[in-house]
Coordinates of all heavy atoms in Angstrom, one line a residue:
M4 N -73.9 -30.8 -3.4 CA -72.9 -30.5 -2.4 C -71.5 -30.4 -3.0 O -70.7 -29.5 -2.6 CB -72.9 -31.7 -1.4 CG -73.3 -31.3 0.0 SD -73.5 -32.6 1.2 CE -72.9 -34.1 0.6
S5 N -71.2 -31.3 -3.9 CA -69.8 -31.3 -4.4 C -69.5 -30.2 -5.4 O -68.4 -29.9 -5.7 CB -69.5 -32.7 -5.1 OG -70.4 -32.9 -6.2
T6 N -70.6 -29.6 -5.9 CA -70.4 -28.5 -6.9 C -70.8 -27.1 -6.4 O -70.7 -26.2 -7.2 CB -71.1 -28.8 -8.2 OG1 -72.5 -29.0 -7.9 CG2 -70.6 -30.1 -8.8
V7 N -71.2 -27.0 -5.2 CA -71.7 -25.7 -4.7 C -70.5 -24.6 -4.7 O -70.8 -23.5 -5.1 CB -72.3 -25.8 -3.3 CG1 -71.3 -26.0 -2.2 CG2 -73.2 -24.6 -3.1
G8 N -69.3 -25.0 -4.5 CA -68.2 -24.1 -4.6 C -68.0 -23.6 -6.0 O -67.8 -22.4 -6.2
Q9 N -68.2 -24.4 -6.9 CA -68.1 -24.0 -8.3 C -69.2 -23.1 -8.7 O -69.0 -22.1 -9.4 CB -68.1 -25.3 -9.2 CG -67.9 -25.0 -10.7 CD -68.0 -26.2 -11.6 OE1 -68.2 -27.3 -11.1 NE2 -67.8 -26.1 -12.9
L10 N -70.4 -23.4 -8.2 CA -71.5 -22.5 -8.5 C -71.3 -21.1 -7.9 O -71.5 -20.1 -8.6 CB -72.8 -23.1 -7.9 CG -74.1 -22.2 -8.0 CD1 -74.4 -21.8 -9.4 CD2 -75.3 -22.8 -7.3
N11 N -70.8 -21.0 -6.6 CA -70.5 -19.7 -6.0 C -69.5 -19.0 -6.8 O -69.6 -17.8 -7.0 CB -70.1 -19.9 -4.6 CG -71.3 -20.2 -3.7 OD1 -72.4 -19.7 -3.9 ND2 -71.1 -21.1 -2.6
E12 N -68.4 -19.7 -7.2 CA -67.4 -19.0 -8.0 C -67.9 -18.5 -9.3 O -67.5 -17.4 -9.7 CB -66.2 -20.0 -8.2 CG -65.4 -20.4 -7.0 CD -64.4 -21.5 -7.2 OE1 -64.2 -21.8 -8.4 OE2 -63.9 -22.0 -6.2
T13 N -68.7 -19.2 -10.0 CA -69.3 -18.8 -11.2 C -70.2 -17.6 -11.1 O -70.1 -16.6 -11.8 CB -70.1 -19.9 -11.9 OG1 -69.2 -21.0 -12.1 CG2 -70.7 -19.5 -13.2
I14 N -71.0 -17.6 -10.0 CA -71.9 -16.4 -9.8 C -71.0 -15.2 -9.5 O -71.3 -14.1 -10.0 CB -72.9 -16.7 -8.6 CG1 -73.9 -17.7 -9.1 CG2 -73.5 -15.5 -8.1 CD1 -74.8 -18.3 -8.0
D15 N -70.0 -15.4 -8.6 CA -69.1 -14.3 -8.3 C -68.4 -13.7 -9.5 O -68.3 -12.5 -9.7 CB -68.0 -14.7 -7.3 CG -68.6 -15.0 -5.9 OD1 -69.8 -14.5 -5.6 OD2 -67.9 -15.6 -5.1
R16 N -67.9 -14.6 -10.4 CA -67.2 -14.2 -11.6 C -68.2 -13.4 -12.5 O -67.9 -12.4 -13.1 CB -66.7 -15.4 -12.4 CG -65.9 -15.0 -13.7 CD -65.3 -16.2 -14.4 NE -66.2 -17.4 -14.4 CZ -67.2 -17.5 -15.3 NH1 -67.5 -16.6 -16.2 NH2 -67.9 -18.7 -15.3
L17 N -69.4 -14.0 -12.7 CA -70.4 -13.3 -13.6 C -70.7 -11.9 -13.0 O -70.8 -10.9 -13.8 CB -71.6 -14.1 -13.7 CG -71.5 -15.4 -14.6 CD1 -72.7 -16.3 -14.4 CD2 -71.2 -15.1 -16.0
A18 N -70.9 -11.8 -11.7 CA -71.2 -10.6 -11.1 C -70.1 -9.6 -11.2 O -70.3 -8.4 -11.5 CB -71.6 -10.8 -9.6
A19 N -68.9 -10.0 -11.1 CA -67.7 -9.2 -11.2 C -67.6 -8.7 -12.7 O -67.1 -7.6 -12.9 CB -66.4 -9.9 -10.8
D20 N -68.0 -9.5 -13.6 CA -68.0 -9.1 -15.0 C -69.2 -8.2 -15.4 O -69.3 -7.9 -16.6 CB -68.0 -10.4 -15.9 CG -66.7 -11.1 -15.9 OD1 -65.7 -10.6 -15.4 OD2 -66.7 -12.3 -16.3
G21 N -70.1 -7.9 -14.5 CA -71.2 -7.0 -14.7 C -72.5 -7.6 -15.0 O -73.5 -6.9 -15.2
A22 N -72.6 -9.0 -14.9 CA -73.9 -9.6 -15.0 C -74.8 -9.2 -13.8 O -74.4 -9.3 -12.7 CB -73.8 -11.1 -15.1
R23 N -76.0 -8.8 -14.1 CA -77.0 -8.4 -13.1 C -78.2 -9.3 -13.1 O -79.0 -9.3 -12.1 CB -77.4 -7.0 -13.2 CG -76.2 -6.0 -13.1 CD -75.6 -6.0 -11.8 NE -74.4 -5.2 -11.7 CZ -73.2 -5.7 -11.7 NH1 -73.0 -7.0 -11.6 NH2 -72.1 -4.9 -11.6
Q24 N -78.4 -10.0 -14.2 CA -79.6 -10.9 -14.3 C -79.1 -12.3 -14.6 O -78.5 -12.5 -15.6 CB -80.5 -10.4 -15.4 CG -81.1 -9.0 -15.1 CD -81.9 -8.4 -16.2 OE1 -81.8 -8.8 -17.3 NE2 -82.7 -7.4 -15.9
L25 N -79.3 -13.2 -13.6 CA -78.8 -14.5 -13.7 C -79.9 -15.5 -13.8 O -80.8 -15.5 -12.9 CB -77.9 -14.9 -12.6 CG -76.7 -13.9 -12.4 CD1 -76.0 -14.2 -11.1 CD2 -75.7 -14.0 -13.5
L26 N -80.0 -16.4 -14.7 CA -81.0 -17.5 -14.8 C -80.3 -18.8 -14.8 O -79.4 -19.1 -15.6 CB -81.7 -17.4 -16.2 CG -82.8 -18.5 -16.4 CD1 -83.9 -18.4 -15.4 CD2 -83.4 -18.3 -17.8
L27 N -80.5 -19.6 -13.7 CA -79.9 -20.9 -13.5 C -80.8 -21.9 -14.0 O -81.9 -22.1 -13.5 CB -79.6 -21.1 -12.0 CG -78.6 -20.1 -11.4 CD1 -78.4 -20.5 -9.9 CD2 -77.3 -20.0 -12.1
D28 N -80.4 -22.7 -15.0 CA -81.1 -23.8 -15.5 C -80.8 -25.1 -14.7 O -79.7 -25.6 -14.7 CB -80.8 -24.0 -17.0 CG -81.6 -25.2 -17.6 OD1 -82.3 -25.9 -16.9 OD2 -81.5 -25.3 -18.8
L29 N -81.8 -25.6 -13.9 CA -81.6 -26.7 -13.1 C -82.0 -28.0 -13.7 O -82.1 -29.0 -12.9 CB -82.3 -26.4 -11.7 CG -82.0 -25.1 -11.0 CD1 -82.8 -25.0 -9.7 CD2 -80.5 -25.0 -10.8
A30 N -82.2 -28.1 -15.0 CA -82.8 -29.2 -15.6 C -81.9 -30.5 -15.4 O -82.5 -31.6 -15.3 CB -82.9 -29.0 -17.1
E31 N -80.6 -30.4 -15.2 CA -79.8 -31.6 -15.0 C -79.4 -31.8 -13.6 O -78.7 -32.7 -13.3 CB -78.5 -31.4 -15.9 CG -78.9 -31.5 -17.4 CD -77.6 -31.5 -18.3 OE1 -76.6 -32.0 -17.8 OE2 -77.7 -31.0 -19.4
L32 N -79.9 -30.9 -12.7 CA -79.7 -31.1 -11.3 C -80.6 -32.2 -10.7 O -81.8 -32.1 -10.8 CB -79.9 -29.8 -10.5 CG -79.5 -29.7 -9.1 CD1 -78.0 -29.9 -8.9 CD2 -79.9 -28.3 -8.5
T33 N -80.0 -33.2 -10.0 CA -80.8 -34.3 -9.5 C -80.8 -34.3 -8.0 O -81.6 -35.0 -7.4 CB -80.2 -35.6 -9.9 OG1 -78.8 -35.7 -9.5 CG2 -80.3 -35.8 -11.5
F34 N -80.0 -33.4 -7.3 CA -80.0 -33.3 -5.9 C -79.7 -31.9 -5.4 O -78.8 -31.3 -6.0 CB -79.0 -34.3 -5.3 CG -78.9 -34.3 -3.8 CD1 -79.8 -34.9 -3.0 CD2 -77.8 -33.5 -3.2 CE1 -79.7 -34.9 -1.6 CE2 -77.7 -33.5 -1.8 CZ -78.6 -34.2 -1.0
C35 N -80.4 -31.4 -4.4 CA -80.1 -30.1 -3.9 C -80.4 -30.2 -2.4 O -81.4 -30.5 -1.9 CB -81.1 -29.1 -4.5 SG -80.7 -27.4 -4.0
D36 N -79.3 -29.8 -1.6 CA -79.4 -29.8 -0.2 C -79.3 -28.3 0.3 O -79.4 -27.4 -0.5 CB -78.4 -30.7 0.5 CG -76.9 -30.2 0.2 OD1 -76.7 -29.1 -0.4 OD2 -76.0 -30.9 0.7
S37 N -79.1 -28.1 1.6 CA -79.1 -26.8 2.2 C -77.9 -26.0 1.6 O -78.1 -24.7 1.5 CB -79.0 -26.9 3.7 OG -77.8 -27.5 4.1
S38 N -76.8 -26.6 1.2 CA -75.7 -25.8 0.6 C -76.1 -25.2 -0.7 O -75.7 -24.1 -1.1 CB -74.4 -26.6 0.6 OG -74.6 -27.7 -0.3
G39 N -76.9 -26.0 -1.5 CA -77.4 -25.5 -2.8 C -78.3 -24.4 -2.6 O -78.3 -23.3 -3.3
I40 N -79.3 -24.5 -1.7 CA -80.2 -23.5 -1.4 C -79.5 -22.2 -0.9 O -79.8 -21.1 -1.4 CB -81.2 -24.0 -0.3 CG1 -82.1 -25.1 -0.9 CG2 -82.1 -22.8 0.2 CD1 -82.9 -25.8 0.2
A41 N -78.5 -22.4 -0.1 CA -77.8 -21.2 0.4 C -77.1 -20.5 -0.8 O -77.0 -19.3 -0.8 CB -76.7 -21.6 1.5
A42 N -76.6 -21.3 -1.7 CA -75.9 -20.7 -2.9 C -76.9 -19.9 -3.8 O -76.5 -18.8 -4.3 CB -75.2 -21.8 -3.7
F43 N -78.1 -20.4 -3.9 CA -79.1 -19.7 -4.7 C -79.5 -18.4 -4.0 O -79.5 -17.3 -4.7 CB -80.4 -20.5 -4.9 CG -80.2 -21.8 -5.6 CD1 -81.0 -22.9 -5.3 CD2 -79.2 -22.0 -6.6 CE1 -80.8 -24.1 -6.0 CE2 -79.1 -23.2 -7.3 CZ -79.9 -24.3 -7.0
V44 N -79.7 -18.4 -2.7 CA -80.0 -17.2 -1.9 C -78.8 -16.2 -2.0 O -79.0 -15.0 -2.2 CB -80.4 -17.6 -0.5 CG1 -80.6 -16.3 0.3 CG2 -81.7 -18.4 -0.5
R45 N -77.6 -16.7 -1.8 CA -76.4 -15.9 -1.8 C -76.3 -15.2 -3.2 O -76.0 -14.0 -3.3 CB -75.2 -16.7 -1.5 CG -73.9 -16.0 -1.6 CD -72.7 -17.0 -1.4 NE -71.5 -16.3 -1.6 CZ -70.9 -16.1 -2.8 NH1 -71.6 -16.5 -3.9 NH2 -69.8 -15.5 -2.9
G46 N -76.5 -16.0 -4.2 CA -76.4 -15.4 -5.6 C -77.5 -14.4 -5.8 O -77.2 -13.3 -6.4
D47 N -78.7 -14.6 -5.4 CA -79.8 -13.6 -5.5 C -79.4 -12.4 -4.7 O -79.6 -11.2 -5.2 CB -81.1 -14.2 -5.1 CG -82.2 -13.2 -5.4 OD1 -82.4 -12.8 -6.6 OD2 -82.9 -12.8 -4.5
N48 N -78.9 -12.5 -3.5 CA -78.6 -11.3 -2.7 C -77.5 -10.5 -3.4 O -77.5 -9.3 -3.4 CB -78.2 -11.8 -1.3 CG -79.3 -12.2 -0.5 OD1 -80.5 -11.9 -0.7 ND2 -79.0 -13.0 0.6
R49 N -76.5 -11.2 -3.9 CA -75.4 -10.5 -4.6 C -75.9 -9.8 -5.8 O -75.6 -8.6 -6.0 CB -74.3 -11.5 -5.0 CG -73.3 -10.9 -5.9 CD -71.9 -11.2 -5.5 NE -71.0 -10.3 -6.2 CZ -69.7 -10.6 -6.4 NH1 -69.2 -11.7 -5.9 NH2 -69.0 -9.8 -7.0
A50 N -76.8 -10.4 -6.6 CA -77.3 -9.8 -7.8 C -78.2 -8.6 -7.4 O -78.2 -7.5 -8.0 CB -78.1 -10.8 -8.6
A51 N -79.0 -8.8 -6.3 CA -79.9 -7.7 -5.9 C -79.2 -6.5 -5.4 O -79.6 -5.4 -5.6 CB -80.9 -8.3 -4.8
A52 N -78.0 -6.7 -4.8 CA -77.2 -5.6 -4.3 C -76.7 -4.7 -5.4 O -76.5 -3.5 -5.2 CB -76.0 -6.2 -3.5
E53 N -76.7 -5.3 -6.6 CA -76.3 -4.5 -7.8 C -77.5 -4.1 -8.7 O -77.4 -3.8 -9.8 CB -75.3 -5.3 -8.6 CG -74.0 -5.7 -7.9 CD -73.2 -4.4 -7.5 OE1 -73.2 -3.4 -8.3 OE2 -72.5 -4.5 -6.5
G54 N -78.7 -4.3 -8.1 CA -79.9 -3.9 -8.9 C -80.4 -5.0 -9.8 O -81.3 -4.8 -10.7
G55 N -80.0 -6.3 -9.6 CA -80.4 -7.3 -10.5 C -81.2 -8.4 -9.8 O -81.8 -8.2 -8.7
W56 N -81.1 -9.6 -10.3 CA -81.8 -10.8 -9.7 C -81.2 -12.1 -10.2 O -80.4 -12.1 -11.2 CB -83.3 -10.8 -10.1 CG -83.6 -10.4 -11.5 CD1 -84.1 -9.3 -12.0 CD2 -83.5 -11.3 -12.7 NE1 -84.3 -9.3 -13.3 CE2 -83.9 -10.5 -13.8 CE3 -83.0 -12.6 -12.9 CZ2 -83.9 -11.1 -15.1 CZ3 -83.0 -13.1 -14.2 CH2 -83.4 -12.3 -15.3
L57 N -81.5 -13.1 -9.4 CA -81.2 -14.5 -9.8 C -82.5 -15.3 -9.9 O -83.3 -15.2 -8.9 CB -80.2 -15.1 -8.8 CG -79.8 -16.6 -9.1 CD1 -78.4 -16.8 -8.8 CD2 -80.7 -17.6 -8.3
R58 N -82.7 -16.0 -10.9 CA -83.9 -16.8 -11.1 C -83.5 -18.2 -11.4 O -82.5 -18.5 -11.9 CB -84.8 -16.2 -12.2 CG -85.3 -14.8 -11.9 CD -86.3 -14.9 -10.8 NE -86.8 -13.5 -10.4 CZ -86.4 -12.8 -9.4 NH1 -85.5 -13.3 -8.6 NH2 -86.9 -11.6 -9.1
L59 N -84.5 -19.1 -11.1 CA -84.2 -20.6 -11.4 C -85.3 -21.1 -12.3 O -86.4 -20.6 -12.3 CB -84.4 -21.3 -10.0 CG -83.5 -20.9 -8.9 CD1 -83.9 -21.6 -7.6 CD2 -82.1 -21.0 -9.2
T60 N -84.9 -22.0 -13.1 CA -85.8 -22.7 -14.1 C -85.4 -24.1 -14.3 O -84.2 -24.5 -14.0 CB -85.9 -21.9 -15.4 OG1 -86.9 -22.5 -16.2 CG2 -84.6 -22.0 -16.2
G61 N -86.3 -24.9 -14.7 CA -86.0 -26.3 -15.2 C -85.9 -27.4 -14.1 O -85.6 -28.5 -14.5
A62 N -86.1 -27.1 -12.9 CA -86.0 -28.1 -11.8 C -87.1 -29.2 -12.0 O -88.2 -28.8 -12.3 CB -86.1 -27.5 -10.4
T63 N -86.8 -30.4 -11.7 CA -87.8 -31.5 -11.8 C -87.6 -32.4 -10.5 O -86.6 -32.2 -9.8 CB -87.6 -32.4 -13.0 OG1 -86.3 -32.9 -13.0 CG2 -87.8 -31.5 -14.3
G64 N -88.6 -33.2 -10.3 CA -88.5 -34.2 -9.3 C -88.2 -33.7 -7.9 O -88.8 -32.7 -7.4
R65 N -87.2 -34.3 -7.3 CA -86.8 -33.9 -5.9 C -86.3 -32.5 -5.8 O -86.6 -31.8 -4.8 CB -85.8 -34.9 -5.3 CG -86.3 -36.2 -5.0 CD -85.3 -37.1 -4.4 NE -84.5 -37.7 -5.6 CZ -83.5 -38.5 -5.5 NH1 -83.1 -38.9 -4.3 NH2 -83.0 -39.0 -6.6
V66 N -85.6 -32.0 -6.8 CA -85.1 -30.6 -6.7 C -86.3 -29.7 -6.8 O -86.3 -28.7 -6.0 CB -84.1 -30.4 -7.9 CG1 -83.7 -28.9 -7.9 CG2 -82.9 -31.3 -7.8
D67 N -87.3 -29.9 -7.6 CA -88.5 -29.1 -7.7 C -89.2 -29.1 -6.3 O -89.6 -28.1 -5.8 CB -89.4 -29.5 -8.8 CG -90.7 -28.7 -8.8 OD1 -90.6 -27.5 -9.1 OD2 -91.8 -29.3 -8.5
R68 N -89.3 -30.3 -5.7 CA -89.9 -30.4 -4.4 C -89.2 -29.6 -3.3 O -89.8 -28.9 -2.5 CB -90.0 -31.9 -4.0 CG -90.7 -32.1 -2.7 CD -92.2 -32.1 -2.9 NE -92.7 -32.4 -1.6 CZ -93.7 -31.7 -1.0 NH1 -94.2 -30.7 -1.6 NH2 -94.2 -32.1 0.2
V69 N -87.9 -29.7 -3.3 CA -87.1 -28.9 -2.4 C -87.4 -27.4 -2.5 O -87.6 -26.7 -1.5 CB -85.6 -29.2 -2.5 CG1 -84.7 -28.2 -1.8 CG2 -85.3 -30.6 -2.0
L70 N -87.4 -26.9 -3.8 CA -87.7 -25.5 -4.0 C -89.1 -25.1 -3.5 O -89.3 -24.0 -2.9 CB -87.6 -25.2 -5.5 CG -86.2 -25.3 -6.1 CD1 -86.3 -25.1 -7.6 CD2 -85.2 -24.5 -5.4
Q71 N -90.0 -26.0 -3.7 CA -91.4 -25.7 -3.2 C -91.5 -25.8 -1.7 O -92.1 -24.8 -1.1 CB -92.4 -26.7 -3.8 CG -92.4 -26.7 -5.3 CD -92.8 -25.4 -6.0 OE1 -93.6 -24.6 -5.4 NE2 -92.3 -25.1 -7.2
V72 N -91.0 -26.8 -1.1 CA -91.1 -27.0 0.4 C -90.4 -25.9 1.2 O -90.8 -25.4 2.2 CB -90.6 -28.4 0.8 CG1 -90.4 -28.5 2.3 CG2 -91.5 -29.5 0.2
T73 N -89.2 -25.5 0.7 CA -88.4 -24.5 1.4 C -89.0 -23.1 1.2 O -88.5 -22.1 1.9 CB -87.0 -24.5 0.9 OG1 -86.9 -24.2 -0.5 CG2 -86.3 -25.8 1.2
G74 N -89.8 -22.9 0.2 CA -90.3 -21.5 -0.1 C -89.5 -20.8 -1.0 O -89.8 -19.7 -1.4
L75 N -88.4 -21.4 -1.4 CA -87.4 -20.7 -2.4 C -88.1 -20.5 -3.7 O -87.7 -19.5 -4.4 CB -86.2 -21.6 -2.5 CG -84.9 -20.8 -3.0 CD1 -84.6 -19.6 -2.2 CD2 -83.8 -21.8 -3.1
A76 N -89.0 -21.4 -4.1 CA -89.7 -21.2 -5.4 C -90.4 -19.8 -5.4 O -90.3 -19.1 -6.4 CB -90.7 -22.3 -5.6
E77 N -91.0 -19.5 -4.4 CA -91.7 -18.2 -4.3 C -90.8 -17.0 -4.2 O -90.9 -16.0 -4.9 CB -92.7 -18.2 -3.1 CG -93.5 -16.9 -3.1 CD -94.5 -17.0 -1.9 OE1 -95.0 -18.0 -1.5 OE2 -94.8 -15.9 -1.4
V78 N -89.8 -17.2 -3.4 CA -88.8 -16.1 -3.1 C -88.1 -15.7 -4.4 O -87.9 -14.5 -4.7 CB -87.8 -16.5 -2.0 CG1 -86.6 -15.5 -1.9 CG2 -88.5 -16.6 -0.7
L79 N -87.7 -16.7 -5.2 CA -86.9 -16.5 -6.4 C -87.8 -16.5 -7.7 O -87.3 -16.6 -8.8 CB -85.8 -17.5 -6.6 CG -84.7 -17.4 -5.5 CD1 -83.6 -18.5 -5.8 CD2 -84.1 -16.1 -5.4
A80 N -89.1 -16.3 -7.5 CA -90.0 -16.3 -8.6 C -89.8 -17.4 -9.6 O -89.8 -17.3 -10.8 CB -90.0 -14.9 -9.3
Y81 N -89.6 -18.6 -9.0 CA -89.3 -19.8 -9.8 C -90.5 -20.2 -10.7 O -91.6 -20.3 -10.2 CB -89.0 -21.0 -8.9 CG -88.9 -22.3 -9.6 CD1 -87.9 -22.6 -10.5 CD2 -89.9 -23.3 -9.3 CE1 -87.9 -23.9 -11.1 CE2 -89.9 -24.5 -10.0 CZ -88.9 -24.8 -10.9 OH -88.8 -26.0 -11.5
Q82 N -90.2 -20.4 -11.9 CA -91.2 -21.0 -12.9 C -90.5 -22.1 -13.6 O -89.4 -21.8 -14.3 CB -91.7 -19.9 -13.8 CG -92.5 -18.8 -13.0 CD -93.1 -17.8 -14.0 OE1 -93.1 -17.9 -15.2 NE2 -93.5 -16.7 -13.4
P83 N -91.0 -23.3 -13.6 CA -90.3 -24.4 -14.1 C -89.8 -24.3 -15.6 O -88.7 -24.8 -15.9 CB -91.3 -25.6 -14.0 CG -92.2 -25.2 -13.0 CD -92.3 -23.7 -13.0
D84 N -90.5 -23.6 -16.4 CA -90.1 -23.5 -17.8 C -90.0 -22.1 -18.3 O -90.3 -21.7 -19.4 CB -91.1 -24.3 -18.7 CG -92.5 -24.0 -18.4 OD1 -92.8 -23.3 -17.4 OD2 -93.4 -24.5 -19.1
M85 N -89.5 -21.2 -17.4 CA -89.3 -19.8 -17.8 C -88.2 -19.6 -18.7 O -87.1 -20.1 -18.4 CB -89.0 -19.0 -16.5 CG -88.8 -17.5 -16.7 SD -88.3 -16.6 -15.3 CE -88.7 -17.5 -13.9
A86 N -88.4 -19.1 -19.9 CA -87.4 -18.9 -20.9 C -86.7 -17.5 -20.7 O -85.5 -17.3 -20.9 CB -87.9 -19.0 -22.3
D87 N -87.5 -16.5 -20.4 CA -87.0 -15.1 -20.3 C -87.6 -14.5 -19.1 O -88.7 -13.9 -19.2 CB -87.4 -14.3 -21.6 CG -86.9 -12.9 -21.5 OD1 -86.2 -12.5 -20.6 OD2 -87.2 -12.1 -22.4
P88 N -86.9 -14.5 -18.0 CA -87.5 -14.0 -16.7 C -87.7 -12.5 -16.8 O -88.5 -12.0 -16.1 CB -86.5 -14.4 -15.7 CG -85.2 -14.6 -16.4 CD -85.6 -15.1 -17.8
A89 N -87.0 -11.8 -17.6 CA -87.2 -10.3 -17.7 C -88.6 -10.0 -18.3 O -89.1 -8.9 -18.0 CB -86.2 -9.7 -18.7
S90 N -89.2 -11.0 -18.9 CA -90.6 -10.7 -19.5 C -91.7 -11.1 -18.5 O -92.8 -11.0 -18.8 CB -90.8 -11.5 -20.8 OG -90.8 -12.9 -20.5
Q91 N -91.3 -11.7 -17.4 CA -92.2 -12.1 -16.3 C -92.4 -11.1 -15.2 O -91.5 -10.3 -15.0 CB -91.7 -13.4 -15.7 CG -91.5 -14.5 -16.7 CD -92.7 -15.0 -17.4 OE1 -93.8 -15.1 -16.8 NE2 -92.6 -15.3 -18.7
D92 N -93.5 -11.1 -14.6 CA -93.7 -10.2 -13.4 C -93.3 -11.0 -12.2 O -94.2 -11.4 -11.4 CB -95.2 -9.8 -13.3 CG -95.6 -8.8 -14.4 OD1 -94.6 -8.1 -14.9 OD2 -96.7 -8.8 -14.8
G93 N -92.0 -11.2 -12.0 CA -91.6 -11.8 -10.8 C -91.2 -10.8 -9.7 O -91.1 -9.7 -9.9
R94 N -91.2 -11.3 -8.5 CA -90.8 -10.4 -7.4 C -89.3 -10.3 -7.3 O -88.6 -11.2 -7.3 CB -91.3 -11.1 -6.0 CG -91.2 -10.1 -4.9 CD -91.5 -10.8 -3.6 NE -90.3 -11.4 -3.1 CZ -90.1 -11.6 -1.8 NH1 -91.0 -11.4 -1.0 NH2 -88.9 -12.0 -1.4
L95 N -88.9 -9.0 -7.4 CA -87.5 -8.7 -7.3 C -87.1 -8.5 -5.9 O -87.8 -7.8 -5.2 CB -87.1 -7.5 -8.2 CG -87.4 -7.7 -9.7 CD1 -87.0 -6.4 -10.4 CD2 -86.8 -8.9 -10.3
I96 N -86.0 -9.1 -5.4 CA -85.5 -9.0 -4.1 C -84.5 -7.9 -4.0 O -83.6 -7.9 -4.8 CB -85.0 -10.3 -3.6 CG1 -86.0 -11.4 -3.6 CG2 -84.4 -10.2 -2.2 CD1 -85.5 -12.7 -3.4
G97 N -84.6 -6.9 -3.2 CA -83.6 -5.9 -3.1 C -83.6 -5.1 -1.9 O -84.2 -5.1 -1.0

């Protein structure tokens, strides 16, 4: 909750700088609520509008559970230990 604004700003800055493929490492994230989920979806929508994608990796515990329960894991082709999402056959949203 307290860092979602920073996440949105970072995604916007990266997109403005031309990044089209974003991989968010959630290994150190210990809590994720609806504002975090909204930021992930917003980031993926922004990347998809430019022909890219946003993917998640590294979530554990409660964060992993939130991704699974909300269906976001499937939507964002989440794989807990994905190193290079470009080499995976994930579903691209566009």
Side-chain angles (χ1 to χ4, degrees):
M4 245 175 8
S5 64
T6 59
V7 75
Q9 182 181 3
L10 174 60
N11 285 325
E12 289 173 12
T13 301
I14 290 170
D15 290 345
R16 180 179 42 79
L17 289 169
D20 289 345
R23 301 295 173 253
Q24 299 174 340
L25 304 171
L26 177 62
L27 300 182
D28 183 352
L29 306 181
E31 294 186 31
L32 187 64
T33 59
F34 178 80
C35 183
D36 65 2
S37 60
S38 61
I40 291 168
F43 299 149
V44 171
R45 179 184 171 279
D47 185 57
N48 288 340
R49 172 131 192 203
E53 300 295 328
W56 44 254
L57 179 139
R58 297 290 178 260
L59 307 174
T60 189
T63 60
R65 288 181 276 180
V66 175
D67 178 64
R68 180 80 177 132
V69 166
L70 296 177
Q71 301 300 329
V72 168
T73 61
L75 200 57
E77 184 177 331
V78 171
L79 295 181
Y81 168 69
Q82 294 182 14
D84 48 351
M85 180 187 342
D87 180 6
S90 69
Q91 304 293 322
D92 289 331
R94 189 183 93 151
L95 299 184
I96 300 170

